Amino acid sequence: RTATAKLQAQRIIVLVDACRSGALIDTLSAGLDRRQLKEVSRNSGIHLLAATQRNQDAIEFDQLGHGAFTYILMAALDGKSEAQQHGVVMARSMIAYVERRLPGFMREQLEKLLASQSRGAQLDSFTIPLPVAMSRGSDFAVARAGRK
């Protein structure tokens, strides 16, 4: 609570690609008391996005070189699909893109992995991690689309 009370930032975005990272959303939102959250929201914006729910593991695929969450997040920041508006990627659009795209992408990747291993494992035996988000206040630009 003390650390969040000292924040002087006008725009806050927290992105976490880790197992059980959804628990962080609960912790951070609890750390910002209602008055602080209202003040931050009115003057600026705060956006939090975690790769998984509090009880889920994040999944990495060797061929991607990092987590599936980071892969989809990088695509959003690069301006893929509807995450960009007029050449700019906005925080809320980025979050919405990740929330929509990540579960399907992970299902596709797991299906490919299981097919290549053909050990009889079924996709139904896996829990597809779902991203967790919290957005308060104004939206703001987080990247220029297509910028490397």
Side-chain angles (χ1 to χ4, degrees):
R1 181 171 240 161
T2 304
T4 55
K6 292 180 181 180
L7 288 176
Q8 298 294 315
Q10 290 291 311
R11 299 177 190 133
I12 300 168
I13 188 158
V14 178
L15 308 167
V16 185
D17 186 0
C19 295
R20 297 170 181 81
S21 54
L24 180 63
I25 301 289
D26 296 337
T27 302
L28 287 175
S29 59
L32 289 168
D33 67 34
R34 287 183 185 187
R35 191 174 70 216
Q36 285 176 299
L37 194 53
K38 196 174 189 178
E39 186 67 28
V40 168
S41 297
R42 181 178 26 225
N43 295 330
S44 55
I46 182 167
H47 305 278
L48 312 171
L49 180 61
T52 69
Q53 295 182 359
R54 66 174 35 250
N55 61 344
Q56 296 178 321
D57 291 329
I59 298 176
E60 291 196 18
F61 297 99
D62 290 339
Q63 69 272 23
L64 300 178
H66 42 68
F69 173 85
T70 295
Y71 181 83
I72 295 298
L73 179 64
M74 288 178 3
L77 290 171
D78 195 36
K80 299 291 188 258
S81 188
E82 66 281 358
Q84 65 105 7
Q85 303 165 1
H86 310 292
V88 176
V89 179
M90 302 298 286
R92 282 201 168 104
S93 297
M94 176 195 68
I95 289 170
Y97 178 81
V98 172
E99 286 180 312
R100 260 190 319 278
R101 184 68 182 108
L102 185 59
F105 176 76
M106 294 204 342
R107 178 174 286 282
E108 293 165 11
Q109 295 302 308
L110 284 169
E111 286 173 346
K112 288 179 191 175
L113 181 66
L114 292 174
S116 70
Q117 291 180 351
S118 61
R119 293 187 199 168
Q122 298 293 319
L123 185 59
D124 295 341
S125 64
F126 290 92
T127 299
I128 303 293
L130 301 172
V132 178
M134 183 194 92
S135 288
R136 300 287 187 274
S138 62
D139 202 2
F140 53 84
V142 293
R144 287 192 196 133
R147 189 172 173 182
K148 300 274 182 203

